[in-house]
Amino acid sequence: MIKNPIKARLILADGRVYEGISFGCTGSALGEVVFTTGAVGYQESLTDPSHYGQLVAFTFPLMGNYGINREDSSSEHFAVAGCIVREWCEVPSNFCLEEDLHSFLKRRGVVGICDIDTRALTRHLRDHGPMKGLITTEALSVQEALSQIEAFHIQDAVAAVTCRTVTRHSAPEPRYTVGLYDLGHNRRTLGWLMDMGCRVILLPAGTPPEDIAALDLDGLVLSEGPGDPADNPDIVADIGRMAAMRALPMLGIGLGHQLMALSAGGCTVRMPRGHRGSNQPVADLATGQIFITAQNHGYQAVPHSLPAEVAVLSHQNVNDQSCEGLRYLTHPWLSVQFRPESFTAPGGTNRVFLEFAALMDGIKEGK
Amino acid sequence: MPLNPDIKKVLVIGSGPIVIGQAAEFDYAGTQACRALKEEGLEVVLINSNPATIMTDKAMADHIYIEPLTLEVVRRVIDIEKPDRLLSTLGGQHGLTLSMQLDKEGFLAERGVRLLGARRDTIDKAEDRQLFKDAMAQIGQPCILSKVVESVEDAVDFMREIGYPAIIRPAFTMGGSGGGRADNEEELRTIAAGGLRTSPIHQILVEKCIAGWKEIEFEVIRDSAGNMITVCSMENLDPVGVHTGDSIVVAPAVTLSAPQLHMLRTAALNIVDALGVEGGCNCQFALHPDSLEYAIIEVNPRVSRSSALASKATGYPIARVATKIAVGYRLDEIENTVTGSTYACYEPALDYLVVKFPKWPFDKFVYGNRKLGTQMKATGEVMAIGSSFEQAIMKAVRSVELGIDTLRLPRLAGKTDAEIEDLLSCCDDERIFVVYEALTRGIALERIHAATQIDRWFLAKLKNLADMEALLSQDGLTPQTYLAAKKWGFPDKAIERLSGQPVGDLHRPAVYKMVDTCAGEFRAEAPYFYATYGDENEAEQFLQAHPTDKRKVLVFGSGPIRIGQGIEFDYCSVHCVWALKQQGYEAVIVNNNPETVSTDFDTSDRLYFDPLTPEDVDNVLAVEQPWGVVVQFGGQTAIKLTGHLEKRGVNILGTSADSVDAAEDRERFDRLLEDCGIPRPAGDTVFTTEDAVKVANRLGYPVLLRPSYVLGGQNMIIAHSDRQVEEYMTIITGHKLENPVLVDKYMMGTEVEVDAICDGENYLIPGIMEHIERAGIHSGDSISVYPPQNLSRRVRDTVVEYTGRLAQALGVVGLVNIQYVVYDGEVYVIEVNPRSSRTVPYISKVTGVPMVELATRAMLGEKLATMGYGTGLYPESDYVAVKVPVFSFEKLHDVDVHLGPEMKSTGEVLGVAKTFEEALLKGLVGAGYRLEHQGGVLITVRDLDKAEILPIAEAFEALGFDLYGTEGTANFLNNHMVPTSSVKKIGEGSPNILELIDSGKVSYVISTSEKGANPAEDSVKMRRRTVERAIACLTAIDTAAALTGCLRTGKTMADVELIDITRI
């Protein structure tokens, strides 16, 4: 039990207030309040750039059980705006552990609140949709807080999280050279591509299409990332230009998948609650196979906004039938909404990568 | 793929009697399976020897055979019913083994029956050690490395290869003697050499020692299309070495990082896929605590105790989904009945923590070896759901009914710190409390970790509780500490005791959260709740959102399965719920046992999964505000709440609290009997040893001694001498004596039992049961026969008459169970229990009187006269039913198998036939007796029994058996012209009695002795040996007599008709 706890509040845009106890940093943090359902993987979530501008609530009540380690962060420097838990673990236990959750949040400057009824919060967000909010340890009035919340908007999310320079990451005996267009990539995506036998060139968002063309890539992967896809008109335009320059195989993941849909003339919408967690069932419509996938997104591409001759739905969520993947007929493109490594069958086959590889091989042969 | 249209008629094999390791979870799974099949419009045939199950209810299947679960019987059922499919994975290991044997011998193919739920190659791969190893090697999954060697050098070479420590197990030695653990080569050389010497075939198994590793389980479901999900991960608090059934288990796993968990999840999926399982599968792993090294411990490709736990822990109905998969569905075609909006192809997300706590029978078996290891010893378990580990384990400890409300075991208070530290290394049923005691004494967490290998995470959480106790006792009560203590699961009573202050206005009721499979992500419709502390009360919201005109009735369940309070009470609770619903009431269940049908979320209108203590129950009452409550069907667990509920002014349906008291309070009960003119064995109450001896002498030996405050035969003995009375009183008065000890004249007569339904005016007795064994053996351990075979008309009439008088005098409304003894032609009352009993399910089934339903209707005010089943004694059935108890002695080392007034059986089977002999035959076969018609019989009886053993010995001799006896018995029999070989006692040279038992010449042992249950006694050793050699050991003359009667008919199972009980 924390001795002399500092009180903290979570105030939502609709005026709802949750009183709890501060942990991590004190102070205030504004953001969009979302919940995520994984019982493990908090370190990955807290450092996932897709959570840019968000106050992340964990539905599993005990967080920080195995502490924080060096290996598992999704990014080097990024951290969520705020962390909302029921209880954090003061004595974590794991052989990899380096520090506890509280110390980690402090170090990364994350404002946290604990000891609140996270299930009540989750149900509120579920029924009323994600909404903006504020975590604060300060003596703000609710009115003041609401005006701050009102004024807050997530802006330039991709610019805030993309890498600054081009870096090259080689795998032993690479079979392909792919560019990873960094919209706020997760380290796991980079690692996955390397595992799949790719030499990866990590490219900052906004890299001119000409420069990318000059790299003579076998394929381009558009990474996951944060925010509203519609906030990225320039990137969407660049994707179109790249496609126009040459037949470049592209694999979109998460935000990348959404931006490709926009570039092909489709539209995206905000989902009533989004998918955040590691238990989303997705069907590969070509094989009927279903995989349980990890996801973190609040928007989705609208498949029927794309003409049938442009793209077809390739993957679908079993629960809410939302779009989880598209296969383009006009371009050597495919894209998925979920974390692609969760589509690995026993034995190690990953059909997402196999298809991408087939596209790359096709172009190579054509050369 | 939807339902396979070729499937029309499915045979389901149940799991048989409740034994340790196979409890009510298979009734839960089987019931779900039968319902899932019937939903599909399939014809269901069921075979199960256990009559106390819901699955053997008429509503559950179209044809039901309560018959012995043997190959022969299953073959015959297949020939009678001609099913086209056999569902093999819902009946536990026994059902699965039977199915596989039938498949292997080609019988199924011959009869055109196909296996559902598991292919044979899958099962072979999972169960055959070598095939499994090969399959795992193919997909690169690590098994625990081991090698059979015949020399020390080979052992050393092997361990050099795989690394120390090693476990050495000599082949073919009893109880693993001669083996051990070696941490280095030197130790290995010594132990291996010793092991090779002890092994009769000079062979040892050298195995990588993984004791101390974390034990992690996954429940996986796979459909025929290869889609897979993991339902839940589970982590054992006790590291590898303790059977998972004896471990405290949490769900989900808490000390594994995401990559570790992901690694094991992937391994589980890969294994299940490689085995080709279609349905549910349990995978157990050992994970090195300080690396990513792991090994597969075991894979069970069927529903199991763990899958029942996972189902209740997540809300995901594994057995139902596994059944749907078996008949052709894919995961994405099966609706998630909890949310109603998602599909079974979905991994549940938990937003709470679950703790499972085992219930052990050592309160009954004081001489039982309490050490926990690879042999499971728990009879049952409880589950607790909380928002924190602290809260959940506090709930679990309350639920398991040890008489404590924190983790502090009073008994340990007197031990020194050094003793506590020593005890830490002793892995028995009380170790968790020793750990807690150590923490309260400030023994360092690291030391505790070193001694127990329990992960620091758990120790730190337990320390939180110890610190909270200290805080409450040192700083007293503040609003902050009160709330903090509540969040960690402290009941008000404990808070008051620790702080020495009344809670008063600080009291805050709990709120309820829903178990919804999805952590709140989707709106769920399943009214399955648990208590915690928080802002929002979902049960209240649910009730507001679902207004009803119906009256609400709360039914209290029976908690964990234990000896004396088994699955029968769950059967009654469930039937009460069904009856309430049928009568237009809303029925709500409160219970804490994850293995049961009553805690299935769709059994009742609402389910509260929480402890059954006064405060926990108050919280449910506060939110539900029921019109009435039912305590009659939940065994002693529910009955115990009566006083509290009455004080609260709650409307207890049926028999009043005052009547319960009148039946339990010795003096009031005596007066009542006197008023009714009903005799009972003479007796008195005493507090001291001197009084006990005095009373015993006044009554005349033998006398029955028991404490007045416990029912169910706990701590009950029959004394034949002053010495025995003194011995007993010394033990009893060793504890604080708040209640007197009852001393009764022990009448060794025929025991008769009735269950009656009463409406306050009238009564209905569905049937009278007669026990084969005379009074003195606990009614739960006796073979019970319906209808009675040896009672005169007059005795029967008297029993009926007395039952009516007692029911009326006590004002029973609902069920009452009365035990009588018939002695010298007179009927005496022994005990009246104004509640349901363990015989209710079987009597309901054989008489066709739906006893619980009628009792429930009576409790709601209906009169028997209008229910259509008449009053008085119900007409006798054309069939004879014999209930035979089943024991788990082979699982409980050092426990004496001698039957007495204290109950020892864990389960029961039923034999139903046209004649008594045939029914008994079925019962005995069902209970596992190998009814040999030849061989030897070893007889060793106390002097008291010698006269009575004579005709039995003669009968065996006439049947062609060779007789053996210990000196006294043999002399006696030889003197009476029954030729008997004399056998030496233990320690009197060779060949002695143990060697005779080992020789395989003996088919039956008849052993009665006066001496106690101490495992050091020769008679106990001898009886233990018969258990280990799987030889039938009869410890009552009456059982032996019944057995000879059965053998004399010359019939075997092949000669008796199988009976579909839906047709009787």
Side-chain angles (χ1 to χ4, degrees), chain A residues 157-207:
Chain A
V158 170
V161 296
T162 188
C163 59
R164 302 282 170 247
T165 54
V166 176
T167 49
R168 285 161 198 276
H169 306 264
S170 193
E173 295 173 43
R175 285 178 293 142
Y176 304 100
T177 301
V178 299
L180 176 58
Y181 193 89
D182 183 13
L183 299 164
H185 83 285
N186 189 317
R187 281 217 297 224
R188 278 186 286 172
T189 304
L190 181 61
W192 176 66
L193 289 170
M194 287 159 67
D195 287 348
M196 293 291 113
C198 297
R199 176 189 295 124
V200 184
I201 304 174
L202 185 65
L203 303 162
T207 304

Side-chain angles (χ1 to χ4, degrees), chain B residues 49-120:
Chain B
S49 55
N50 185 347
T53 48
I54 299 279
M55 74 187 295
T56 51
D57 265 355
K58 285 181 187 164
M60 289 297 139
D62 301 286
H63 311 278
I64 298 164
Y65 292 82
I66 301 184
E67 300 284 356
L69 285 170
T70 63
L71 278 176
E72 183 195 342
V73 170
V74 179
R75 275 190 220 115
R76 285 177 61 196
V77 169
I78 289 173
D79 280 339
I80 297 167
E81 294 292 343
K82 304 187 170 49
D84 51 66
R85 293 293 187 286
L86 167 58
L87 184 55
S88 60
T89 45
L90 275 305
Q93 188 57 43
H94 188 63
L96 187 60
T97 307
L98 282 175
S99 311
M100 290 307 128
Q101 279 169 331
L102 288 172
D103 191 42
K104 260 177 212 156
E105 67 185 32
F107 181 81
L108 295 184
E110 223 170 83
R111 297 300 194 274
V113 183
R114 292 170 62 179
L115 281 176
L116 278 187
R119 301 196 315 256
R120 204 175 95 203

Side-chain angles (χ1 to χ4, degrees), chain B residues 169-216:
Chain B
R169 300 178 201 275
F172 294 104
T173 60
M174 289 296 285
S177 62
R181 173 186 159 132
D183 287 313
N184 51 47
E185 189 177 321
E186 198 189 326
E187 285 177 17
L188 176 66
R189 283 182 182 280
T190 316
I191 299 171
L196 288 166
R197 264 196 312 277
T198 26
S199 168
I201 56 164
H202 202 70
Q203 200 180 68
I204 53 173
L205 180 78
V206 189
E207 188 180 271
K208 172 91 177 176
C209 172
I210 54 163
W213 289 24
K214 296 180 184 191
E215 190 165 340
I216 308 292

Side-chain angles (χ1 to χ4, degrees), chain B residues 382-386 391 395-396 398-399 510-513 528-532 556-557 559 589-593 599 607-613 616-617 619-620:
Chain B
V382 297
M383 182 180 100
I385 312 174
Q391 190 187 62
K395 280 189 183 184
R398 288 208 289 285
S399 296
V511 302
Y512 288 91
K513 300 287 183 193
Y528 172 7
F529 301 104
Y530 67 96
T532 184
F556 295 112
I589 277 262
V590 190
N591 201 2
N592 53 36
N593 183 341
T599 51
L607 165 65
Y608 290 83
F609 208 110
D610 265 316
L612 289 157
T613 74
D616 294 290
V617 163
N619 283 322
V620 182

Side-chain angles (χ1 to χ4, degrees), chain B residues 550-676:
Chain B
K550 293 179 178 175
R551 285 172 161 172
K552 283 186 286 190
V553 177
L554 227 61
V555 179
F556 295 112
S558 56
I561 303 270
R562 69 206 89 160
I563 290 172
Q565 190 165 306
I567 185 175
E568 302 84 359
F569 296 95
D570 201 65
Y571 172 94
C572 293
S573 303
V574 170
H575 273 268
C576 175
V577 164
W578 288 346
L580 286 166
K581 283 177 154 178
Q582 193 190 41
Q583 296 297 311
Y585 291 76
E586 269 200 354
V588 182
I589 277 262
V590 190
N591 201 2
N592 53 36
N593 183 341
E595 307 175 312
T596 56
V597 179
S598 71
T599 51
D600 211 355
F601 71 88
D602 59 358
T603 295
S604 56
D605 288 301
R606 281 178 298 286
L607 165 65
Y608 290 83
F609 208 110
D610 265 316
L612 289 157
T613 74
E615 183 181 336
D616 294 290
V617 163
D618 281 351
N619 283 322
V620 182
L621 292 170
V623 67
E624 280 287 339
Q625 303 190 347
W627 168 75
V629 302
V630 178
V631 294
Q632 273 192 21
F633 302 114
Q636 205 53 31
T637 303
I639 286 280
K640 269 195 312 207
L641 292 167
T642 310
H644 173 76
L645 294 167
E646 167 124 308
K647 245 185 277 160
R648 290 277 321 258
V650 177
N651 174 23
I652 301 171
L653 300 184
T655 313
S656 71
D658 184 60
S659 300
V660 173
D661 187 64
E664 287 185 354
D665 181 281
R666 175 62 175 240
E667 277 178 33
R668 289 187 65 187
F669 187 57
D670 278 350
R671 247 179 292 145
L672 183 94
L673 288 180
E674 213 167 291
D675 293 347
C676 295

Side-chain angles (χ1 to χ4, degrees), chain B residues 938-999:
Chain B
L938 168 63
I939 304 175
T940 162
V941 294
R942 57 188 170 194
D943 290 346
L944 215 65
D945 295 324
K946 293 220 160 85
E948 290 192 47
I949 199 68
L950 193 57
I952 294 167
E954 279 170 345
F956 272 117
E957 204 233 338
L959 286 164
F961 285 87
D962 299 325
L963 300 188
Y964 303 89
T966 42
E967 198 182 349
T969 308
N971 285 347
F972 174 83
L973 292 175
N974 284 322
N975 288 341
H976 289 82
M977 309 304 285
V978 185
T980 306
S981 317
S982 181
V983 193
K984 290 189 180 115
K985 287 190 176 165
I986 301 169
E988 286 180 357
S990 190
N992 66 24
I993 196 162
L994 293 186
E995 285 160 314
L996 174 69
I997 291 168
D998 287 346
S999 72

Side-chain angles (χ1 to χ4, degrees), chain A residues 192 221-224 250-260 282-284 293-295 297 301 314-316 323-328 333-343 350-353 355:
Chain A
W192 176 66
V221 178
L222 293 159
S223 84
E224 56 281 303
M250 281 193 212
L251 166 64
I253 299 168
L255 180 63
H257 148 84
Q258 295 163 5
L259 296 187
M260 282 163 69
V282 171
D284 179 338
T293 67
Q295 303 193 11
H297 65 107
S314 60
H315 297 81
Q316 193 172 36
C323 169
E324 293 282 5
L326 291 167
R327 183 68 198 258
Y328 290 83
W333 289 2
L334 69 143
S335 66
V336 295
Q337 182 62 65
F338 48 87
R339 294 219 47 75
E341 72 273 16
S342 38
F343 240 69
N350 185 295
R351 262 181 48 90
V352 174
F353 189 81
E355 283 181 33

Side-chain angles (χ1 to χ4, degrees), chain B residues 645-752:
Chain B
L645 294 167
E646 167 124 308
K647 245 185 277 160
R648 290 277 321 258
V650 177
N651 174 23
I652 301 171
L653 300 184
T655 313
S656 71
D658 184 60
S659 300
V660 173
D661 187 64
E664 287 185 354
D665 181 281
R666 175 62 175 240
E667 277 178 33
R668 289 187 65 187
F669 187 57
D670 278 350
R671 247 179 292 145
L672 183 94
L673 288 180
E674 213 167 291
D675 293 347
C676 295
I678 299 175
R680 54 161 298 152
D684 213 335
T685 58
V686 298
F687 278 95
T688 64
T689 308
E690 298 79 70
D691 285 353
V693 172
K694 224 181 285 166
V695 171
N697 280 291
R698 194 180 73 222
L699 298 171
Y701 287 103
V703 294
L704 190 71
L705 293 157
R706 61 186 154 138
S708 60
Y709 59 95
V710 270
L711 292 181
Q714 202 170 0
N715 297 325
M716 194 190 276
I717 68 149
I718 292 162
H720 295 272
S721 65
D722 288 0
R723 189 180 59 79
Q724 285 176 331
V725 173
E726 282 158 11
E727 201 180 279
Y728 176 80
M729 288 303 288
T730 314
I731 297 169
I732 287 288
T733 51
H735 306 287
K736 212 170 100 204
L737 207 60
E738 283 171 6
N739 300 70
V741 171
L742 308 181
V743 186
D744 288 323
K745 173 77 189 158
Y746 167 52
M747 295 174 157
M748 197 158 150
T750 306
E751 208 170 316
V752 174

